[in-house]
């Protein structure tokens, strides 16, 4: 019942903020990379794994049982989960998507990376179990993330940003370049990118579709409606519900509204000069992203001077979840270079 009420309320919120008619996402053009810094890696559709595969042997601590902790900084109690410390190395900070809390992360991706690295996943201010008023801009969210990272005592981190989290990651590295070693950016694009300022239209439409069909809206938002996409969506929803105890709080309507406004502003701003970002960046997406059109992924990779690109076939915004086994391998290889 709470899910249904939240879906209705969020749909009405999105309608009030994004009132323009829904338009079809831009078709991604054929792109040829001549720059030596960009290594485009297109995954064959034959590489699609069985949606039920990838059941890794459980670690003593994993995404289903890792405790939620809190740390106070800047007047906020940040909720976070952390494990893999025994692996040492640079901590990886995970930054989440629109309307997401801790339990929206794919356990296979978190566990797969935590098997080799120290991972830290947190709720931004006013989101999930974190206290405070929700941030009103992507830049403010980046400031909050920096506050959290510094409160944890980390001198340097890797960033893993999905969707809105990828936008926050860009702002973090522009604000504090010495704080970041490497970045993984998926389902995202540069400021002012195609369709980013109107992402709420897609979200609103699919929130309603989810309400009408009784399904999680991410089934529509993150995946294609092909047989592969539908099977992967079902498996993903099952995975994110594997944790049954001590789950995070759902996002509030006020936090969702603040995020929509922040996305609209960030998508309308003048593009930043990303050529100043010298850190290695792994850029990934599906080839049919409706939320943040895939054209932005190509554009982002071209703007970043030291990037590698992975595009998954017959996949949408959640391409990394559909191809989670391959993506974990790609990420581990990238982080270990």
């Amino acid at each position: 019942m709470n899910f249904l009420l939240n879906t209705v309320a969020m749909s009405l919120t999105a309608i009030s903020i994004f009132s323009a008619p829904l338009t079809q996402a831009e078709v991604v053009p054929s792109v040829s990379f001549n720059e030596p810094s960009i290594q485009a890696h297109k995954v064959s559709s034959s590489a699609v794994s069985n949606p039920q595969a990838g059941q890794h042997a459980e670690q003593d601590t994993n995404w289903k049982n890792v405790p939620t902790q809190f740390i106070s900084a800047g007047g906020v109690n940040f909720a976070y989960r952390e494990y893999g410390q025994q692996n040492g190395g640079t901590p990886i900070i995970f930054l989440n998507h629109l309307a997401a809390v801790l339990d929206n992360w794919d356990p296979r991706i978190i566990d797969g990376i935590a098997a080799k690295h120290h991972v830290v996943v947190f709720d931004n201010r006013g989101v999930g179990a974190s206290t405070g008023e929700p941030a009103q801009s992507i830049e403010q969210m980046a400031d909050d993330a920096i506050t959290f990272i510094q409160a944890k005592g980390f001198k340097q981190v890797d960033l893993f940003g999905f969707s809105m989290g990828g936008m926050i990651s860009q702002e973090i590295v522009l604000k504090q370049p010495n704080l970041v070693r490497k970045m993984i950016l998926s389902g995202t694009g540069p400021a002012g990118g195609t369709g980013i300022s109107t992402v709420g239209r897609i979200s609103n439409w699919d929130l309603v579709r989810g309400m009408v069909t009784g399904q999680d809206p991410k089934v529509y938002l993150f995946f294609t409606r092909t047989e592969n996409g539908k099977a992967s969506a079902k498996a993903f929803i099952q995975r994110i519900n594997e944790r049954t105890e001590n789950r995070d709080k759902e996002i509030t309507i006020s936090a969702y509204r603040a995020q929509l406004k922040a996305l609209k502003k960030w998508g309308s701003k003048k593009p930043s000069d990303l050529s100043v970002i010298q850190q290695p960046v792994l850029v990934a997406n599906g080839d049919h992203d409706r939320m943040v059109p895939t054209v932005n992924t190509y554009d982002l990779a071209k703007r970043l001077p030291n990037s590698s690109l992975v595009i998954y076939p017959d996949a949408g915004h959640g391409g990394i979840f559909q191809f989670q086994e391959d993506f974990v391998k790609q990420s581990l290889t990238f982080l270990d270079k």
Side-chain angles (χ1 to χ4, degrees):
M1 178 61 71
N2 286 340
F3 173 77
L4 178 61
L5 292 175
N6 271 354
T7 300
V8 173
M10 287 181 181
S11 298
L12 294 175
T13 297
I15 290 171
S16 69
I17 296 174
F18 297 91
S19 57
L22 181 66
T23 58
Q24 184 175 359
E26 181 174 344
V27 177
V28 180
S30 175
V31 176
S32 174
F33 292 111
N34 296 317
E35 297 89 339
S37 60
I38 299 179
Q39 302 169 357
H41 172 77
K42 286 198 174 185
V43 179
S44 168
S45 59
S46 63
V48 180
S49 59
N50 184 327
Q52 302 299 334
Q55 305 294 323
H56 302 288
E58 290 194 358
Q59 303 154 265
D60 290 339
T61 300
N62 56 57
W63 193 241
K64 285 195 294 187
N65 62 33
V66 61
T68 302
Q69 304 179 69
F70 294 86
I71 188 169
S72 296
V76 175
N77 288 329
F78 289 98
Y80 71 99
R81 295 174 189 164
E82 178 179 20
Y83 61 124
Q85 294 96 319
Q86 73 278 3
N87 296 314
T90 306
I92 304 170
I93 308 298
F94 286 69
L95 298 128
N96 221 335
H97 63 84
L98 170 69
V101 296
L102 295 174
D103 292 312
N104 290 118
W105 281 108
D106 190 330
R108 298 299 177 274
I109 289 179
I110 306 292
D111 285 341
I113 295 177
K116 301 290 184 180
H117 293 271
H118 176 185
V119 303
V120 184
V121 189
F122 79 106
D123 280 333
N124 213 330
R125 173 162 53 102
V127 175
S130 291
T131 64
E133 290 296 318
Q136 298 290 321
S137 70
I138 299 297
E139 294 84 354
Q140 290 176 349
M141 295 178 199
D143 288 337
D144 288 337
I146 292 169
T147 296
F148 170 78
I149 290 167
Q150 293 175 339
K152 286 290 295 173
F154 300 142
K155 302 302 181 184
Q156 192 174 54
V157 297
D158 293 334
L159 300 178
F160 186 134
F162 173 59
S163 192
M164 186 178 73
M167 302 167 196
I168 298 169
S169 298
Q170 293 173 58
E171 292 294 338
I172 292 173
V173 74
L174 289 171
K175 288 171 178 285
Q176 296 280 350
N178 293 331
L179 185 62
V180 180
R181 184 185 73 108
K182 292 186 176 184
M183 296 193 299
I184 299 174
L185 306 178
S186 178
T188 193
T194 300
I196 294 176
S197 66
T198 55
V199 68
R201 300 179 192 175
I202 301 293
S203 300
N204 171 53
W205 177 249
D206 286 346
L207 281 167
V208 172
R209 292 171 77 186
M211 179 181 66
V212 171
T213 62
Q215 297 190 78
D216 191 307
K218 288 185 284 297
V219 166
Y220 302 105
L221 287 166
F222 286 5
F223 300 90
T224 62
R225 302 306 293 160
T226 65
E227 290 307 311
N228 281 336
K230 290 178 181 178
S232 297
K234 181 179 179 180
F236 171 72
I237 298 302
Q238 290 174 345
R239 293 198 301 271
I240 63 174
N241 285 293
E242 287 175 349
R243 183 180 175 114
T244 57
E245 297 182 359
N246 301 313
R247 289 180 64 86
D248 199 3
K249 294 181 179 179
E250 294 182 7
I251 192 166
T252 64
I253 301 305
S254 61
Y256 179 68
R257 182 183 295 117
Q259 289 182 351
L260 285 177
K261 290 180 178 178
L263 280 168
K264 186 174 183 179
K265 288 189 292 184
W266 199 80
S268 300
K269 71 179 287 189
K270 181 180 179 181
S272 301
D273 179 10
L274 301 183
S275 69
V276 300
I277 299 174
Q278 296 300 311
Q279 288 86 344
V281 185
L282 176 63
V283 182
N285 204 356
D287 62 353
H288 286 83
D289 188 344
R290 294 172 56 251
M291 286 195 72
V292 182
T294 310
V295 65
N296 291 291
T297 308
Y298 289 105
D299 186 25
L300 182 62
K302 288 200 297 183
R303 289 170 183 254
L304 294 164
N306 193 13
S307 68
S308 300
L309 178 64
V310 178
I311 297 294
Y312 291 109
D314 186 21
H317 192 62
I320 63 171
F321 308 135
Q322 183 168 334
F323 288 82
Q324 32 88 17
E325 287 188 82
D326 181 81
F327 180 70
V328 168
K329 293 176 183 177
Q330 296 283 346
S331 298
L332 292 177
T333 298
F334 168 76
L335 292 167
D336 291 342
K337 285 182 181 177

